[in-house]
Amino acid sequence: MLADGSFVTASKDKHVDLFWAVRGGGGNFGAVTSFLFQAHPAKMVFAGPIFWDAKDARQVMAMYRDFIPHAPEDLGLFVGLKTVPPTDPFPKEHWNKRACALIGAFNGPIADGQKLMASLLEKLAAPLFNWMGEMPWTAINTLFDPFFPKGLQWYWKGDFVKALPDEAIDVHIANALKAPPPFCLMHLYPIDGAVRRIAKDATPWSARDALFRW
């Protein structure tokens, strides 16, 4: 619904300028009353978190940086610098430990996901715990909900970067260690795959040449 109260349908064929603008240009163009999404099949996935002690964070992040550009698009995997939540089901001996985590999902044959992650894990120190396993896609999307109840006052800030040198890894780890536990955390997401196959001027989003988002 536009500012004058009229209703329009924006698509690649109708009101193309509005369709271009709403895909990354913010929410100042009107009130959207319905969306039609292009979905992708996902049912059972190989997914979950793997946590390492913070002392291994540099190794984990450097190895991840070199691994993820060559991983198949079926794998979605991000880094977390955080604190082990002081609650079940996390092992009590690790509660409130500063940690580095890899969290994600492989949307393909479970055996392929296991083999892919094994090729990464064999190069890393032993984790505190590894909870990657077969689960429904909906489960990985709600896995951490119980630890972040409604009512908390959240503040998020991020940026896009085109490189992740060792010096940047060191700075981020140093700052993560200063963050107040247990809810303050830092995430690193890869910008790759299908996002790179869309022209830079196809939408208002201008970070298609970035490698990572903090």
Side-chain angles (χ1 to χ4, degrees), residues 107-154:
N107 185 25
I110 302 303
D112 291 354
Q114 292 171 326
K115 184 178 179 181
L116 178 63
M117 289 305 299
S119 70
L120 174 61
L121 295 176
E122 67 184 10
K123 303 171 185 175
L124 296 171
L128 298 176
F129 50 87
N130 180 350
W131 286 349
M132 287 198 82
E134 185 175 3
M135 66 179 69
W137 168 244
T138 51
I140 184 63
N141 278 281
T142 58
L143 203 60
F144 289 91
D145 287 2
F147 315 125
F148 301 98
K150 292 181 180 180
L152 297 178
Q153 301 298 307
W154 290 105

Side-chain angles (χ1 to χ4, degrees), residues 125-214:
L128 298 176
F129 50 87
N130 180 350
W131 286 349
M132 287 198 82
E134 185 175 3
M135 66 179 69
W137 168 244
T138 51
I140 184 63
N141 278 281
T142 58
L143 203 60
F144 289 91
D145 287 2
F147 315 125
F148 301 98
K150 292 181 180 180
L152 297 178
Q153 301 298 307
W154 290 105
Y155 173 76
W156 292 91
K157 188 174 182 179
D159 203 355
F160 297 95
V161 297
K162 297 181 180 180
L164 188 64
D166 290 344
E167 295 81 3
I169 290 176
D170 291 339
V171 169
H172 278 86
I173 292 172
N175 281 280
L177 291 174
K178 300 175 187 176
F183 293 121
C184 191
L185 51 86
M186 301 166 70
H187 283 171
L188 175 70
Y189 301 95
I191 306 295
D192 57 6
V195 71
R196 295 293 190 83
R197 295 195 292 273
I198 298 175
K200 289 182 69 174
D201 60 355
T203 72
W205 190 60
S206 59
R208 296 188 186 278
D209 58 347
L211 288 179
F212 297 100
R213 179 183 183 274
W214 276 107

